[in-house]
Amino acid sequence: MMPADNVAPSGKGIYILLIVLKSDAKLSSISGKEVTLRAGIYLYLGSAKGPGGLRARVSRHLRREKRVHWHIDRLLAAPGASVAYVVYGETHLPECVLTRPLEELGCRHPLPGFGSSDCKHGCTSHLLECGGGEKDCLEKAVEAFRRNGVTPGVLHVS
């Protein structure tokens, strides 16, 4: 594992947000339905292929004030939600490659379709419930990168 940095690199790549949800969260979905996520630790898979790469995308996710654009924006705006770690890798692979290893490590999809409405690889979702403590979930995230031959970097946020 690479040492933690203060910021993610500006190269293109993929990332996992390790999100701690301290209390149940009611979210309105894009379709208008209300869904509830239980308190726990969640892993959100994303990619940063545009201008500014990982640094720009991760910085956006970590800002509290922003326009709601993606599914993840709704979760991160929920009371009690915070990003504890960002695990990232500079690669041209899609974030979808992280799904299978996380499933194999015991993570599950709490909301089918969350974050994957434009997925071309058939992922159930890009949000997985980890089911362990922060350190355990961080190790699972790091392992998902390693199983794909991508050297992970870790940014400790909170």
Side-chain angles (χ1 to χ4, degrees), residues 51-71:
L54 288 159
R55 180 174 295 155
R57 181 59 54 88
V58 168
S59 294
R60 183 190 187 284
H61 286 314
L62 298 180
R63 282 196 316 264
R64 278 290 188 197
E65 301 298 320
K66 61 186 164 233
R67 193 184 89 203
V68 173
H69 182 70
W70 293 296
H71 290 138

Side-chain angles (χ1 to χ4, degrees), residues 11-127:
K12 297 175 185 341
I14 57 178
Y15 59 89
I16 296 175
L17 302 180
L18 189 150
I19 302 164
V20 177
L21 189 57
K22 292 183 179 173
S23 58
D24 292 355
K26 291 186 182 198
L27 309 173
S28 60
S29 69
I30 300 291
S31 66
K33 288 184 187 176
E34 190 170 271
V35 295
T36 300
L37 280 179
R38 297 179 311 171
I41 299 178
Y42 294 86
L43 303 174
Y44 174 77
L45 318 177
S47 64
K49 309 293 184 175
L54 288 159
R55 180 174 295 155
R57 181 59 54 88
V58 168
S59 294
R60 183 190 187 284
H61 286 314
L62 298 180
R63 282 196 316 264
R64 278 290 188 197
E65 301 298 320
K66 61 186 164 233
R67 193 184 89 203
V68 173
H69 182 70
W70 293 296
H71 290 138
I72 189 62
D73 295 337
R74 297 174 194 283
L75 174 55
L76 294 177
S82 63
V83 176
Y85 293 94
V86 179
V87 182
Y88 60 86
E90 293 184 87
T91 180
H92 292 291
L93 294 171
E95 69 267 35
C96 302
V97 301
L98 301 168
T99 304
R100 176 75 42 133
L102 291 171
E103 291 167 341
E104 291 169 354
L105 292 166
C107 298
R108 64 174 202 83
H109 300 274
L111 296 174
F114 188 99
S116 63
S117 56
D118 62 349
C119 179
K120 295 174 178 69
H121 300 276
C123 295
T124 301
S125 76
H126 288 169
L127 181 72

